[in-house]
Amino acid sequence: MKIKSFRVVPTLPEPLRPILSLAYNLWYCWNQNGLRLFRHMQRDLWEEVCHNPVEMLSRLSQGRIMELMEDQGFLSQMERTADDLSDYISEKGVYSFLLAQPVDFTIAYFSMEFGITESLPIYSGGLGILAGDHLKSASDLRLPLRGVGLMYQDGFFTQYLNIDGWQQEDFPKNDFYHMPLVLEKNQEGKPLKISIQLGGRECYAQIWRCQIGRVPLFLLDTNLEENHTEDRKVSARLYAGSMEDRLRQEMMLGIGGVRALKTLGHEPIVYHMNEGHTFLVALERIRSMMKEKGMDFDTARELVKASMVFTTHTPVPAGNDVFDIGLVEKYLKPYADEIGLSWTDFVSLGRIRQNDHSEPFGATVFALKNSTFRNGVSKLHGEVSGQMWQDLWPNMGLQDLPISSITNGIHIPSWISSDMADLFDRYLGPKWKENPDNQKVWESIDDIPDSELWATHERRRARLVAFARKNLIAQLKNRGAKPNDLARAREVLHPDALTIGFAKRFATYKRGLLIFRDLERLKKIISSKDFPVQIIISGKAHPRDQEGKAIIQKIIHIIREDPFRDRIVFLEDYNMNLTRYLVEGVDVWLNNPRRPLEACGTSGMKSTANGALNLSVLDGWWVEGYDPDLGWSIGNGEVYENLEYQDQVESTAIYDLLERELAPLFFDRGLDGLPRGWIEMMKNSMRALCPVFNSNRMVEEYTDRCYMEAALSQRTLIANDYKNVKDLMAWKKHLVNHWKEINILDIYHEQGDEVMVNTEVVIKARIRLGEIDPGQISARVYYGHINDAGNLSGTKDLIMEHVKASSKGIHTFEAHLVCEDTGRLGYTVRIMPRHANVRYPVDLGLICWA
């Protein structure tokens, strides 16, 4: 049966037309006036369609439309909001860091998931939420960025629990034509399409555009009639099925995404790969460069690598895809053949140990090897990432590894309650939205009267309690609960109790059961008549994570019993809307992962912006954010070999803190009923943490440290008809051919075996360089105290200057070291290549130690 189709789009009378521009730009989701406007149109319908304005407009009754046309208050608000969006989009100016030479460039940001708003369910957790906040801040900062992802037919699953508390999954279909999406079309009005080779078949994708303020997000969709049945499923489901399904998805994202940008006429200079799922962006760029510019593989790779940014988000294996070599060969060998790269050489790009034929192919390894700018998402995670991937750079100390860190942040306007936003508008002015990383803006937190801040926070807690009751009743009805259970659910929790939020992806390392370790003690805490405490929990386990599902089930079994059932609630189907209610209403955000497995964690930042305090293990961002005046730490950052003992120690610490510090401080009220000490900590926390842990600061840091440098590097290399990159390749070839000629003949100092503290010691090295010019190498002294094992500890380094050359090709280098510390000091010398266009010489694998 042949079926032809056409699209029916929402239409509105002329006076209401401005609402369409707002519906198709997700700017509304972080603009309070935009949100109020859509709620005002029909509040119940707005909730029913999960805050999807396009679907709401298609379902709005004619009667309601006529009412809105007569509602002068609504029309006035609509005009103002539409004008605000128009002004926002058209605002002139180029984002700049006052560089000596301005750079005109575009950035492409690739991610497997994007959490922009709940009405676009193409995200599963923190990675996607972070990507969404990245795009929003890029828009606010006028950064020329384009997002690239996949448009999933099923998206990520919705969660419900069966009568025994076991997680069930449902995959509702996304109706793209009722979402804030526009299909990209060619001049003939037909959908623009790209294609890639998938296992011997041509797989096509069309391109949907989602507008996030000033930033377009392009999403690929393979559910097309011309595709094979299996290929139509490539974009069916986020993180779908088997590793073969995953590889096929990642090929469409990486290879197809680069082709989509080209087809749309976008030519980014900088490419940002968000997590290892995007690793094939590098391969397609290399292939394209070779084909279009006639370059050999090594030159094209050098050029591509110089403008690649790669962010790794997790030290957990599940976040670092590893593929069987046979599977990689089935799908990627045709691409290796096309670029003339032997299969052995291609596979080595995805291996830590290039000659280990038993090692599988690592997506993260490939991304690390083919990018210049690499970072973790917190300072601690940067260090952990260095330890994880240290073998990629043998003979190098951890401090010299080319993996930095840029700590995540949140887009504050997206995660702050309307009540708190109004309070900030009154006392902080508009700059808390426009310039949230300005410390001076947040100093005005002290101008907010304690009574107003507390009243605002209490109002949000009361709304959270009402929201939790409503959701709990719906959950119980779905399970066929009895009338008396429903009646009791209407009275769970208390609007005035100390409310703790715990919401996570239920991976085992998040330790969802830690607070339930001593049930008798927990009963005592939540049953206190003087200091009542309550907990709201939410989160999903991955559909294949049986351990995570078992944790949820055990929590459900525990909280069904008295006295827990009135004080602890589990809310099903953790999503962006539920998250917002939680972070806006809780008093304390609890985070207790097993250190150091939390790469960053941003939920605590969201609650901070709303006035909540953090109770967390010193992991991820809290290592940087914690101060005793701002919140509480569970332990002091210890890492235990005995995990059972660690859980015992840290669960006890949680109980101790709740009983001895948090609850007494929260309920210590003055004559006016205000918890002055608690409010002081709220203000301290917001003042200190909000200007640092926000996504504007994060995107500015990426721009300053990665995007600008990558763009400048790329411009330099392609200058003069690619002369610089050709010269660089010739330099590299020369160094590789002659590196073995380097020999550090001697290192010494002339000040004797004992020197006085603060004395300057001149350290010298005699080095034979052979055919290599001294300007092509960097010699450094590494020095530190000598430990019991006879090794250097706490090392620092100094650059050595070239001071003399002999006729026999022997060169003398020296460095001046001021001995500021007493004790037994030692030193050694290391030589590496040096070139103006090589940011990390360690990537060349050429190193010589004394």
Side-chain angles (χ1 to χ4, degrees):
M1 178 171 59
K2 186 174 184 179
I3 299 176
K4 288 192 173 182
S5 64
F6 56 92
R7 184 180 187 183
V8 179
V9 297
T11 184
L12 293 169
E14 190 62 36
L16 297 180
R17 284 291 174 86
I19 204 76
L20 284 173
S21 63
L22 293 166
Y24 280 93
N25 192 316
L26 294 186
W27 170 84
Y28 77 81
C29 76
W30 72 88
N31 183 278
Q32 294 296 337
N33 288 332
L35 291 169
R36 289 187 183 108
L37 192 71
F38 288 120
R39 275 197 294 268
H40 183 94
M41 293 183 80
Q42 194 162 328
R43 179 178 290 273
D44 290 344
L45 181 57
W46 178 246
E47 297 300 328
E48 187 180 330
V49 298
C50 297
H51 304 166
N52 181 344
V54 176
E55 185 175 359
M56 185 175 77
L57 292 177
S58 71
R59 293 172 56 179
L60 209 59
S61 70
Q62 193 63 35
R64 181 55 182 156
I65 289 174
M66 298 305 295
E67 290 174 0
L68 291 171
M69 289 180 63
E70 301 297 323
D71 186 339
Q72 292 304 314
F74 172 80
L75 293 175
S76 176
Q77 183 187 3
M78 178 191 68
E79 292 290 347
R80 284 197 305 272
T81 308
D83 288 344
D84 288 346
L85 173 59
S86 180
D87 292 343
Y88 177 88
I89 297 298
S90 62
E91 185 179 343
K92 303 299 180 186
V94 176
Y95 186 70
S96 170
F97 277 96
L98 304 176
L99 289 180
Q101 48 179 315
V103 184
D104 179 22
F105 67 103
T106 300
I107 304 125
Y109 183 92
F110 284 71
S111 182
M112 188 66 100
E113 51 176 297
F114 287 91
I116 311 293
T117 180
E118 52 271 24
S119 64
L120 192 68
I122 56 171
Y123 63 94
S124 70
L127 176 69
I129 302 300
L130 184 279
D133 284 3
H134 196 109
L135 265 56
K136 291 173 184 176
S137 278
S139 172
D140 288 344
L141 294 166
R142 302 189 298 277
L143 195 65
L145 185 142
R146 283 88 180 90
V148 182
L150 298 179
M151 189 59 220
Y152 304 101
Q153 191 71 53
D154 295 344
F156 203 58
F157 70 92
T158 58
Q159 173 205 54
Y160 66 97
L161 305 181
N162 67 16
I163 197 165
D164 192 37
W166 191 258
Q167 175 180 292
Q168 307 291 306
E169 297 91 30
D170 189 21
F171 290 86
K173 298 288 184 184
N174 285 326
D175 182 354
F176 303 166
Y177 294 96
H178 278 92
M179 300 174 80
L181 301 169
V182 175
L183 191 60
E184 294 286 359
K185 297 181 179 180
N186 60 23
Q187 292 181 341
E188 289 76 42
K190 295 181 179 179
L192 274 176
K193 295 177 183 177
I194 57 94
S195 69
I196 67 171
Q197 282 288 318
L198 271 185
R201 287 194 302 263
E202 198 82 7
C203 179
Y204 295 87
Q206 60 187 6
I207 308 163
W208 295 90
R209 174 170 50 83
C210 179
Q211 197 67 32
I212 296 98
R214 301 179 178 100
V215 170
L217 169 60
F218 300 110
L219 301 164
L220 303 184
D221 165 26
T222 66
N223 188 21
L224 305 176
E225 290 182 2
E226 57 262 50
N227 281 338
H228 185 277
T229 305
E230 288 301 308
D231 297 342
R232 295 183 71 163
K233 298 176 183 176
V234 168
S235 62
R237 190 171 290 179
L238 176 59
Y239 302 132
S242 67
M243 291 309 295
E244 182 168 7
D245 296 327
R246 179 74 63 87
L247 179 58
R248 287 158 56 84
Q249 274 193 338
E250 293 178 4
M251 290 178 69
M252 180 53 72
L253 173 61
I255 298 171
V258 173
R259 294 182 184 182
L261 288 173
K262 192 175 291 292
T263 300
L264 290 163
H266 297 279
E267 296 186 4
I269 289 182
V270 178
Y271 286 74
H272 188 161
M273 299 185 292
N274 191 41
E275 194 57 288
H277 312 304
T278 61
F279 75 105
L280 289 168
V281 170
L283 177 62
E284 174 59 16
R285 289 192 65 209
I286 292 168
R287 186 203 67 82
S288 177
M289 191 71 69
M290 293 175 67
K291 181 179 179 181
E292 294 174 10
K293 305 299 180 184
M295 293 180 178
D296 61 87
F297 172 78
D298 289 333
T299 304
R301 183 182 176 224
E302 190 70 37
L303 198 55
V304 166
K305 184 178 176 181
S307 57
M308 294 295 294
V309 180
F310 172 58
T311 299
T312 176
H313 282 264
T314 176
V316 179
N320 296 283
D321 291 337
V322 175
F323 299 103
D324 177 77
I325 295 299
L327 183 62
V328 176
E329 184 174 13
K330 175 181 176 180
Y331 285 98
L332 294 182
K333 192 171 187 302
Y335 292 91
D337 292 341
E338 183 180 353
I339 61 180
L341 196 63
S342 73
W343 184 240
T344 301
D345 288 343
F346 179 82
V347 171
S348 71
L349 292 172
R351 282 175 168 158
I352 298 174
R353 298 169 296 279
Q354 298 187 19
N355 298 318
D356 182 356
H357 299 297
S358 65
E359 184 180 342
F361 187 94
T364 301
V365 173
F366 189 96
L368 287 166
K369 285 188 174 183
N370 289 287
S371 54
T372 291
F373 303 87
R374 318 164 182 96
N375 69 280
V377 290
S378 69
K379 289 180 181 178
L380 179 59
H381 181 236
E383 296 169 10
V384 172
S385 297
Q387 293 166 2
M388 280 182 68
W389 306 112
Q390 187 174 9
D391 289 346
L392 286 170
W393 297 275
N395 303 317
M396 294 301 297
L398 283 172
Q399 71 273 22
D400 293 317
L401 296 182
I403 300 179
S404 64
S405 66
I406 295 177
T407 302
N408 286 343
I410 62 156
H411 187 253
I412 292 177
S414 293
W415 296 106
I416 201 167
S417 71
S418 58
D419 304 83
M420 195 65 75
D422 290 343
L423 196 64
F424 285 175
D425 284 342
R426 288 203 303 277
Y427 290 97
L428 276 64
K431 295 229 173 200
W432 73 267
K433 288 178 283 194
E434 299 166 2
N435 197 12
D437 57 325
N438 186 336
Q439 179 69 54
K440 289 185 178 179
V441 170
W442 296 96
E443 295 295 337
S444 298
I445 284 285
D446 292 329
D447 295 338
I448 302 175
D450 287 359
S451 57
E452 283 198 58
L453 180 61
W454 189 243
T456 299
H457 182 65
E458 288 204 299
R459 187 158 57 249
R460 293 312 309 188
R461 190 191 318 113
R463 289 184 186 177
L464 170 60
V465 168
F467 175 83
R469 289 172 177 172
K470 179 181 176 181
N471 278 262
L472 182 60
I473 291 167
Q475 292 169 197
L476 291 172
K477 283 182 178 178
N478 289 337
R479 293 184 215 142
K482 297 175 182 178
N484 61 330
D485 290 326
L486 295 176
R488 189 163 180 176
R490 292 186 180 94
E491 298 179 0
V492 299
L493 307 178
H494 193 284
D496 296 325
L498 172 60
T499 305
I500 299 171
F502 181 88
K504 294 288 171 188
R505 181 169 51 85
F506 269 86
T508 52
Y509 77 88
K510 303 276 190 181
R511 297 194 293 179
L513 288 169
L514 193 65
I515 199 168
F516 296 99
R517 193 172 174 89
D518 186 338
L519 293 181
E520 291 306 313
R521 195 163 179 193
L522 184 59
K523 283 180 185 178
K524 179 183 173 186
I525 291 170
I526 67 167
S527 302
S528 170
K529 288 191 174 12
D530 296 324
F531 301 152
V533 175
Q534 59 196 16
I535 308 171
I536 303 177
I537 302 169
S538 188
K540 297 177 179 178
H542 189 279
R544 294 193 297 274
D545 184 1
Q546 303 305 310
E547 289 183 88
K549 290 182 180 182
I551 291 172
I552 294 174
Q553 184 185 46
K554 188 164 185 179
I555 290 173
I556 297 301
H557 287 182
I558 291 170
I559 65 176
R560 281 178 177 168
E561 304 300 323
D562 289 328
F564 300 119
R565 63 183 299 183
D566 294 325
R567 290 294 184 192
I568 305 178
V569 170
F570 185 96
L571 300 181
E572 296 175 11
D573 200 26
Y574 184 43
N575 58 27
M576 289 182 75
N577 187 45
L578 195 157
T579 301
R580 212 173 279 113
Y581 271 96
L582 278 172
V583 299
E584 290 173 0
V586 298
D587 301 296
V588 175
W589 193 262
L590 173 64
N591 189 33
N592 47 230
R594 195 179 303 285
R595 177 183 162 113
L597 298 180
E598 182 85 288
C600 183
T602 56
S603 297
M605 302 176 192
K606 299 178 180 76
S607 58
T608 294
N610 286 283
L613 301 176
N614 281 271
L615 169 60
S616 176
V617 167
L618 286 176
D619 199 8
W621 80 283
W622 194 232
V623 177
E624 301 163 53
Y626 170 68
D627 183 275
D629 292 334
L630 312 179
W632 294 271
S633 81
I634 302 167
N636 294 307
E638 300 91 349
V639 176
Y640 296 80
E641 290 186 12
N642 186 327
L643 302 184
E644 178 71 17
Y645 176 66
Q646 178 182 4
D647 290 351
Q648 178 62 44
V649 168
E650 293 181 346
S651 63
T652 301
I654 293 173
Y655 301 138
D656 287 345
L657 287 167
L658 288 174
E659 289 176 333
R660 301 171 187 173
E661 296 190 34
L662 277 80
L665 182 65
F666 183 84
F667 289 103
D668 181 13
R669 307 297 168 99
L671 295 176
D672 54 6
L674 297 177
R676 297 283 182 180
W678 189 274
I679 294 170
E680 182 182 3
M681 283 191 75
M682 288 172 66
K683 288 185 173 182
N684 289 343
S685 174
M686 297 163 91
R687 187 193 318 108
L689 302 179
C690 287
V692 178
F693 298 100
N694 66 79
S695 54
N696 277 38
R697 185 273 312 155
M698 176 188 75
V699 172
E700 288 174 359
E701 205 168 336
Y702 272 110
T703 305
D704 192 25
R705 291 173 46 192
C706 302
Y707 299 158
M708 289 292 190
E709 291 203 29
L712 287 170
S713 177
Q714 183 80 339
R715 286 289 169 84
T716 300
L717 291 176
I718 66 177
N720 302 318
D721 194 25
Y722 298 92
K723 179 181 182 299
N724 290 337
V725 72
K726 293 172 184 175
D727 290 347
L728 175 60
M729 297 310 296
W731 171 83
K732 286 178 69 173
K733 184 177 180 181
H734 174 75
L735 249 66
V736 169
N737 290 338
H738 296 281
W739 191 257
K740 290 182 179 178
E741 299 171 12
I742 294 179
N743 185 13
I744 301 175
L745 302 174
D746 190 19
I747 60 173
Y748 59 97
H749 66 280
E750 297 173 345
Q751 281 76 20
D753 191 49
E754 289 189 2
V755 298
M756 301 294 291
V757 69
N758 294 322
T759 298
E760 182 179 86
V761 173
V762 180
I763 298 172
K764 297 185 179 183
R766 294 176 62 247
I767 304 170
R768 178 177 287 117
L769 294 178
E771 295 296 316
I772 296 176
D773 187 270
Q776 296 179 321
I777 62 106
S778 169
R780 302 182 84 93
V781 170
Y782 277 72
Y783 65 96
H785 286 96
I786 296 179
N787 59 25
D788 293 341
N791 299 318
L792 296 179
S793 64
T795 56
K796 300 178 182 178
D797 65 285
L798 286 172
I799 295 175
M800 303 189 80
E801 300 293 337
H802 180 252
V803 294
K804 189 171 69 173
S806 74
S807 58
K808 296 180 180 179
I810 297 173
H811 300 261
T812 302
F813 290 76
E814 67 177 38
H816 296 252
L817 169 62
V818 177
C819 301
E820 297 175 342
D821 299 319
T822 59
R824 192 67 178 164
L825 266 65
Y827 61 87
T828 187
V829 171
R830 186 205 70 189
I831 297 175
M832 290 183 66
R834 179 171 63 182
H835 192 284
N837 291 326
V838 176
R839 180 179 177 85
Y840 292 113
V842 63
D843 288 334
L844 301 178
L846 303 176
I847 185 170
C848 179
W849 288 93

